[in-house]
Amino acid sequence: MFSIKKNWRNWGETASREQASFYTPQSIEDVQNIVIRAKNQNKTIRTVGTGHSFSPVALPDCYAMELSHMTGLIHVDETLQQATFWAGTRLYDVGPLLAASQLALENMGDIDVQTIAGAISTGTHGTGIQLGSISNQIVRWGVVDGNGTYRQITREDAYSESMHISLGLMGVITDVTIQAVPLYGLAYDCSKVTTNTLLSTFQKTVQTNRHAEWFYFPGQTDVQQKVMNPIDPMTVQAKPLSKMDIFLENNVLQYASSLCKVIPKATKLVSNLSAKAVPIGQREDVSYQLFATPRKVKFVECEYAIPIENFEACFEELHETLSRHPYAVHFPIEIRTQKGERGFLSPTQGEDCVFIAFHMYKGMRYEPYFRYVHYVTSKYGGRAHFGKMNHYDEGDFKRQYAKHNIFLAHIEQFDPQGLFRTAFFKRMLK
Ligand SMILES: Cc1cc2nc3c(=O)[nH]c(=O)nc-3n(C[C@H](O)[C@H](O)[C@H](O)COP(=O)(O)OP(=O)(O)OC[C@H]3O[C@@H](n4cnc5c(N)ncnc54)[C@H](O)[C@@H]3O)c2cc1C
């Protein structure tokens, strides 16, 4: 139930704490007691998911909580197609548990190792212009606030817009109810297109496929395009990625990245070869098996949501600059879409958006590149993903989120003592 962790680090190794006290509650009552103890000692406490955020949103000051014993399915309402889970459940368990009732998540991101609570607290998203983030699939939150009171918030409640993406500032989410959809299969088609085709067909491809995403190698004209569309789950001809495919894909990238780290000038060649060799082909499976792929090569990342109508101009500007290779970068830029959704801290702010994600191999110099993409995406109305590296501590937060005052008032009501406001958040919310 309690242990001292030395050298806690997030996945990207961009946030670390030499020593922190970690609690692992087993029930809502345990969570309440831990919160009250931290409150009485005047300490902050942070709930950590799996530490897959690149920004320090999960970084504890000295006390932390992990819901690794509060996992699994609590209840399914098959009529309403709603399922209630303990908040520490990993996304990779959600798919099979829902499938047992012929249900599925409406959409998922690239990986599935995150906890449900961690994923929804930062607005983790996949791609699809008709679809929202994983936060958007939640219809009820069970949360222990800063007074140790367990509250249940539904979509009808005034606090729901603050719970939508709450960054752990409203309290400890203990359980959530997901609005699921009927189980579906997906057929996936990966092809190679040029930057010109990407630009001229972008809006149509986005509108005519349930999911569409692109991997653009900085400065290259060949782009990987991946679209996925629903098929009958009973007829899927599942062909999971083999261990060899996963090994090869990750190892080739690992070797190429190690080379680029030692010889940054090699990034231009590696980027060129990667673009030429993009894997193409088709696969099909039940939805939760196709969304996620193992990511074994470590990188750092920032990601921005820009209004969809600004995408082409933003991309042209990025491509024009990156074609001159001013930054040593070989990791692809990922382009996805999301329907505008509610939530005071949704980076979409209600508008249909394109998410553009920028990566750099861990250990390579990323600051000038990330500063540049922050500058360009800002010109096109970009708002940063809270779970990725960002500049929110520099005042963007208040400028970019019209209803930040209501969010701040809600966190004050839920957490008057500032129990969940770690040093990172005190700076960000200044
Ligand atoms: C390899 C990789 C791939 C990724 N792919 C995607 C992607 O496709 N799409 C996307 O949008 N993002 C993606 N991300 C980002 C990731 O999904 C988010 O950062 C997510 O929040 C991580 O979940 P976690 O469980 O690790 O939570 P953490 O990173 O540990 O925590 C995230 C936030 O949630 C809070 N929190 C955690 N549990 C609770 C709780 N029980 N109650 C209250 N607050 C809580 C934490 O305090 C913190 O503020 C990726 C990250 C990596 C490293």
Side-chain angles (χ1 to χ4, degrees):
M1 178 145 173
F2 170 81
S3 64
I4 304 282
K5 259 194 198 172
K6 301 250 185 218
N7 296 321
W8 179 87
R9 280 160 198 269
N10 62 348
W11 183 88
E13 301 183 23
T14 47
S16 62
R17 180 70 62 221
E18 251 176 49
Q19 183 167 309
S21 304
F22 269 75
Y23 292 89
T24 47
Q26 313 222 359
S27 63
I28 294 174
E29 203 186 345
D30 282 354
V31 173
Q32 292 175 296
N33 289 335
I34 295 162
V35 164
I36 289 165
R37 196 172 315 145
K39 187 178 177 210
N40 291 341
Q41 292 178 11
N42 227 358
K43 303 278 190 199
T44 64
I45 185 156
R46 189 112 281 261
T47 312
V48 177
T50 61
H52 273 67
S53 295
F54 294 90
S55 58
V57 286
L59 180 68
D61 288 340
C62 63
Y63 280 165
M65 201 182 313
E66 262 177 348
L67 302 194
S68 49
H69 295 307
M70 293 177 69
T71 62
L73 181 62
I74 301 172
H75 172 70
V76 182
D77 182 330
E78 291 188 358
T79 313
L80 291 177
Q81 300 185 333
Q82 294 180 348
T84 301
F85 286 89
W86 288 113
T89 312
R90 303 290 197 99
L91 294 180
Y92 55 62
D93 286 328
V94 172
L97 286 167
L98 286 177
S101 298
Q102 296 299 304
L103 296 173
L105 283 175
E106 185 183 50
N107 201 4
M108 291 175 73
D110 282 349
I111 57 163
D112 57 8
V113 298
Q114 309 98 313
T115 59
I116 302 180
I120 64 169
S121 295
T122 63
T124 295
H125 64 90
T127 190
I129 202 62
Q130 305 298 338
L131 307 168
S133 68
I134 301 179
S135 309
N136 210 45
Q137 300 171 48
I138 305 300
V139 290
R140 187 201 61 90
W141 300 260
V143 58
V144 173
D145 71 14
N147 291 316
T149 306
Y150 175 68
R151 305 189 187 215
Q152 301 207 51
I153 312 293
T154 63
R155 281 286 171 190
E156 289 69 47
D157 201 299
Y159 296 116
S160 70
E161 302 265 322
S162 291
M163 286 305 304
H164 187 89
I165 294 178
S166 63
L167 305 173
L169 293 167
M170 295 284 281
V172 183
I173 301 169
T174 52
D175 55 289
V176 289
T177 303
I178 293 173
Q179 179 62 61
V181 297
L183 184 67
Y184 58 103
L186 282 175
Y188 138 145
D189 185 1
C190 230
S191 57
K192 191 159 47 168
V193 298
T194 63
T195 43
N196 283 341
T197 311
L198 158 59
L199 285 169
S200 61
T201 59
F202 180 77
Q203 302 289 347
K204 186 165 173 228
T205 308
V206 160
Q207 297 298 341
T208 52
N209 293 282
R210 189 177 195 266
H211 309 271
E213 75 180 307
W214 291 264
F215 290 93
Y216 158 72
F217 292 84
Q220 307 303 320
T221 46
D222 287 326
V223 180
Q224 184 182 26
Q225 174 175 289
K226 185 173 154 188
V227 296
M228 295 202 287
N229 285 296
I231 53 171
D232 183 344
M234 304 308 286
T235 64
V236 290
Q237 311 259 318
K239 187 172 162 266
L241 280 179
S242 71
K243 285 204 171 115
M244 187 50 94
D245 286 339
I246 297 169
F247 175 82
L248 279 178
E249 195 172 307
N250 282 285
N251 275 46
V252 169
L253 181 60
Q254 181 66 64
Y255 291 133
S257 300
S258 304
L259 173 74
C260 291
K261 190 171 161 186
V262 182
I263 312 170
K265 278 195 172 150
T267 49
K268 189 174 166 186
L269 178 67
V270 168
S271 190
N272 182 272
L273 293 176
S274 307
K276 295 252 170 305
V278 293
I280 56 171
Q282 287 85 31
R283 272 180 67 207
E284 55 182 63
D285 213 325
V286 284
S287 57
Y288 66 86
Q289 298 282 19
L290 269 198
F291 285 119
T293 45
R295 296 287 160 96
K296 295 183 188 296
V297 181
K298 290 271 174 107
F299 54 84
V300 294
E301 179 178 348
C302 61
E303 183 174 33
Y304 295 86
I306 61 167
I308 192 163
E309 63 275 15
N310 295 348
F311 170 70
E312 287 89 343
C314 180
F315 181 80
E316 275 173 12
E317 180 165 348
L318 288 166
H319 182 49
E320 205 266 317
T321 303
L322 295 173
S323 299
R324 285 182 266 117
H325 301 283
Y327 306 103
V329 52
H330 65 289
F331 258 69
I333 291 169
E334 189 177 11
I335 300 159
R336 294 180 280 183
T337 59
Q338 190 190 301
K339 188 177 171 58
E341 66 186 30
R342 42 203 177 159
F344 296 140
L345 298 195
S346 168
T348 68
Q349 290 292 285
E351 284 183 278
D352 290 357
C353 278
V354 177
F355 272 86
I356 312 181
F358 305 86
H359 312 81
M360 183 67 88
Y361 179 53
K362 192 189 118 221
M364 288 182 71
R365 196 160 167 250
Y366 64 82
E367 292 91 344
Y369 178 47
F370 283 9
R371 255 199 312 276
Y372 161 72
V373 300
H374 176 80
Y375 162 74
V376 175
T377 52
S378 297
K379 281 207 291 183
Y380 295 95
R383 287 187 198 89
H385 185 311
F386 284 101
K388 314 271 170 101
M389 298 176 81
N390 60 63
H391 293 72
Y392 278 124
D393 52 347
E394 292 170 13
D396 286 345
F397 175 66
K398 290 188 179 163
R399 268 199 308 278
Q400 296 187 340
Y401 290 86
K403 299 204 172 145
H404 68 267
N405 277 337
I406 310 180
F407 179 75
L408 294 178
H410 285 174
I411 64 174
E412 207 50 55
Q413 286 169 31
F414 272 52
D415 180 24
Q417 197 172 302
L419 203 63
F420 306 117
R421 269 161 270 170
T422 50
F424 167 75
F425 283 107
K426 282 186 189 127
R427 276 195 306 277
M428 181 181 123
L429 300 174
K430 251 199 318 237

